[in-house]
Amino acid sequence: MMTKITLRRPDDWHLHLRDGAMLAGVLPETARHFGRAIIMPNLVPPVVTGDDARAYRDRILAALPGGMAFEPLMTLYLTEATDPADVARAHAQGLIHAVKLYPAGATTNSQSGVRNIEAVMPVLEKMAEIGLPLCIHGEVTTADVDIFDREQVFLDTVLDPLRQRLPGLRVTLEHITTAQGIDYVTNASGDIAGTITTHHLMINRNHMLVGGIRPHYYCLPVAKRASHQQALRAAATSGNPRFFLGTDSAPHTDPTKESACGCAGVFSATNTLSCLAHVFEQETALDRLEGFASLHGPARYGLPPNDTTITLEKRDAPVPYPAKIVTGAGPVTLFDPGHPLFWHVIA
Ligand code: DOR
Ligand code: ZN
């Protein structure tokens, strides 16, 4: 039985760091283990221009504790007013690594997102021309579509037509939660990849709703039934380079989660690697963890893997993770998979 594993240092291809006191509180949780992360732009106001991205990157680097190495990979928030020339300039400068498409109303701070895809076609055409990936929150927001069907309907009504129309567009379907999403990314022709979160590998909607409502498991896209969770686990552990880690670690303070109308987001930066080792061991795929967490993402984004490593060791004693992270913005509850974790990051 394998009890120790060394990987190239992993990266997180979908991360929310927020700003100000929250940024200062959560950034070390990611930087401790991860080399780089794709930084989500859904601040208030959002990160829309190259100048916004540069200023946000500088705030992230200023919040990084001395002695920690971490590279934020910036993104722009696509709006119907986004200027293709500004996007191309920010890309040419090496400042941004992707643009994020939020359908308006899909999730936290998505009100500036896209209502009419026609309005952003000039940006998407420019991105296809320069090879800049589009990261997509793949859910429709129409009121008549059930929340558990939003991802599946998006594939048929938005994503596939868009990719047929613009086959050169490089697409990352983010935080996939359904077997249909997995099938789409597995089988589609052309340039497509998908990220999978830590929490969607570990929980399904029963964990969130049976025996009481657990607001710290509420996120978007919302966790689906167990058969979908199984499809995600199979894809993540398959070795298929189209799939890689994007934690979607998304901190909200406890009062905003534990509320009559709680925010969507799971905060998993701190214990993600212990969680992933647990899942990959359960699926007898520990030898594929490095691909998922450390190799497929850089390959997709045209970057070399990190040149440092991390080592995990399985011990008899569980890892003593805190229940909450204390930040200047308030307490943030850490993702609790509901059982102890035995894989310790030791170096
Ligand atoms: O659960 C989520 N939280 N899903 C998202 O798409 C956004 C994120 C956030 O920003 O809190
Ligand atoms: Zn997200």
Side-chain angles (χ1 to χ4, degrees):
M1 194 181 74
M2 192 137 94
T3 57
K4 212 175 192 185
I5 180 170
T6 295
L7 318 171
R8 291 288 190 130
R9 185 169 299 283
D11 302 304
D12 185 347
W13 300 95
H14 182 137
L15 176 68
H16 297 268
L17 286 175
R18 317 302 190 201
D19 216 340
M22 181 65 92
L23 166 64
V26 300
L27 177 59
E29 302 304 304
T30 287
R32 194 177 297 130
H33 296 153
F34 292 87
R36 299 165 289 197
I38 283 276
I39 308 300
M40 285 297 121
N42 63 334
L43 305 181
V44 187
V47 179
V48 172
T49 65
D51 285 346
D52 295 342
R54 183 176 293 100
Y56 186 31
R57 183 191 61 188
D58 292 348
R59 295 198 298 282
I60 295 168
L61 292 174
L64 190 65
M68 275 187 154
F70 174 72
E71 187 185 350
L73 306 174
M74 308 312 292
T75 64
L76 297 183
Y77 185 120
L78 183 61
T79 75
E80 293 181 7
T82 293
D83 172 9
D86 182 60
V87 171
R89 198 160 43 238
H91 173 64
Q93 292 167 346
L95 181 62
I96 59 162
H97 294 264
V99 169
K100 174 68 185 254
L101 167 63
Y102 286 105
T107 188
T108 310
N109 303 331
S110 63
Q111 28 333 330
S112 316
V114 175
R115 287 180 172 75
N116 171 14
I117 199 93
E118 293 306 322
V120 297
M121 282 311 289
V123 182
L124 301 183
E125 281 158 10
K126 176 56 79 175
M127 290 172 62
E129 181 190 320
I130 64 180
L132 180 62
L134 180 70
C135 292
I136 299 186
H137 183 113
E139 291 193 286
V140 296
T141 56
T142 26
D144 58 332
V145 177
D146 187 272
I147 190 163
F148 289 101
D149 298 333
R150 284 176 161 199
E151 179 172 298
Q152 189 183 337
V153 173
F154 185 89
L155 302 173
D156 299 335
T157 63
V158 183
L159 182 59
D160 199 56
L162 173 63
R163 294 187 65 254
Q164 305 251 3
R165 183 166 166 190
L166 205 51
L169 185 65
R170 312 191 61 211
V171 168
T172 306
L173 181 64
E174 299 200 279
H175 41 52
I176 300 172
T177 58
T178 60
Q180 290 84 357
I182 295 295
D183 287 347
Y184 187 85
V185 171
T186 302
N187 298 316
S189 58
D191 193 312
I192 186 149
T195 61
I196 302 176
T197 76
T198 309
H199 50 284
H200 288 115
L201 292 172
M202 297 193 91
I203 61 159
N204 59 60
R205 64 194 191 185
N206 273 12
H207 296 91
M208 180 174 62
L209 296 170
V210 172
I213 186 160
R214 283 169 231 273
H216 295 290
Y217 289 160
Y218 174 64
C219 62
L220 291 169
V222 71
K224 310 298 191 296
R225 64 171 65 238
S227 56
H228 293 290
Q229 182 194 2
Q230 286 313 320
L232 303 180
R233 289 172 72 111
T237 59
S238 68
N240 183 340
R242 286 191 172 186
F243 297 105
F244 47 90
L245 174 65
T247 65
D248 201 11
S249 181
H252 293 272
T253 62
D254 284 352
T256 61
K257 291 286 295 173
E258 297 166 8
S259 149
C261 184
C263 293
V266 171
F267 176 71
S268 62
T270 312
N271 61 358
T272 274
L273 291 176
S274 297
C275 288
L276 292 177
H278 186 98
V279 168
F280 277 67
E281 184 183 37
Q282 283 181 326
E283 302 291 331
T284 59
L286 270 175
D287 58 324
R288 293 181 173 166
L289 177 57
E290 184 179 44
F292 181 70
S294 314
L295 302 179
H296 302 166
R300 164 87 182 147
Y301 279 88
L303 297 169
N306 290 309
D307 52 17
T308 57
T309 61
I310 58 158
T311 299
L312 291 107
E313 184 176 58
K314 191 177 186 190
R315 296 185 176 161
D316 293 335
V319 194
Y321 284 116
K324 298 172 195 298
I325 302 299
V326 180
T327 79
V332 175
T333 289
L334 178 61
F335 173 59
D336 174 5
H339 51 71
L341 296 165
F342 298 98
W343 284 93
H344 297 242
V345 180
I346 58 167

